[in-house]
Amino acid sequence: LRVKNDQLRDDRVRFYERLVDWAPVGLAYFDRDLVYRLCNQTNANYIGKPLDQIIGHRLQDVVPENPAVWTAVEQVLTSGEPYPLQLMSVVFVGREDEGAHDFLIAFMPDTDAFGETHGVYVYAREITDITRTQDALRFLSEASIQLAASLDSHAVMNAIIDLAVPYLADFC
């Protein structure tokens, strides 16, 4: 019976390891000192660093450009309450496409039966391409409305410029 239970436990561990490793979302775990204890390859790819430069290192050292992320993790550690899935802009330096990227991120506390929080689980999904596409479609929709609103070419051009300037400024 023990051999069968040991095999079942080993199968479960292997299953969960593979599930985390192959997940198409970034997964990580921080301890109370904000040190990465676990990180899957997808999350390492988001960060733009190899796993050995992430696991065992403090969050602030791995992603120093993102105090909003540190604050959210510290909030979960302090309150023991989850930080629900929401849009967060995360800045990366050292990635091929460095700069601000949009993510859906959630932070979940790792609490024991006594309510003590020992760490934080992270779920992250990059959606930069989706948000940029939405912005482009929004611009095209607003530009179409302006083009249809008048036959006066100067008025139409001024309206389009008024729409384009903030869009281009955000892009720059």
Side-chain angles (χ1 to χ4, degrees), residues 102 128-142 167 170-171:
D102 296 325
T128 304
D129 291 341
I130 294 169
T131 56
R132 287 182 181 162
T133 300
Q134 288 173 335
D135 290 344
L137 291 172
R138 191 175 305 108
F139 172 76
L140 289 173
S141 174
E142 292 172 7
Y167 178 77
D170 286 345
F171 181 75

Side-chain angles (χ1 to χ4, degrees), residues 102-117:
D102 296 325
F103 281 83
L104 287 175
I105 298 182
F107 302 99
M108 297 297 294
D110 174 21
T111 53
D112 62 21
F114 302 105
E116 185 176 343
T117 304

Side-chain angles (χ1 to χ4, degrees), residues 44-90:
N45 292 344
Y46 289 158
I47 294 169
K49 295 181 180 181
L51 286 168
D52 65 349
Q53 291 180 16
I54 298 171
I55 297 173
H57 297 272
R58 289 181 48 82
L59 172 63
Q60 293 89 331
D61 298 331
V62 175
V63 288
E65 306 81 15
N66 295 287
V69 173
W70 319 336
T71 301
V73 173
E74 289 169 343
Q75 174 186 330
V76 172
L77 283 169
T78 302
S79 70
E81 296 294 322
Y83 181 94
L85 187 66
Q86 54 189 281
L87 181 64
M88 183 179 279
S89 182
V90 179

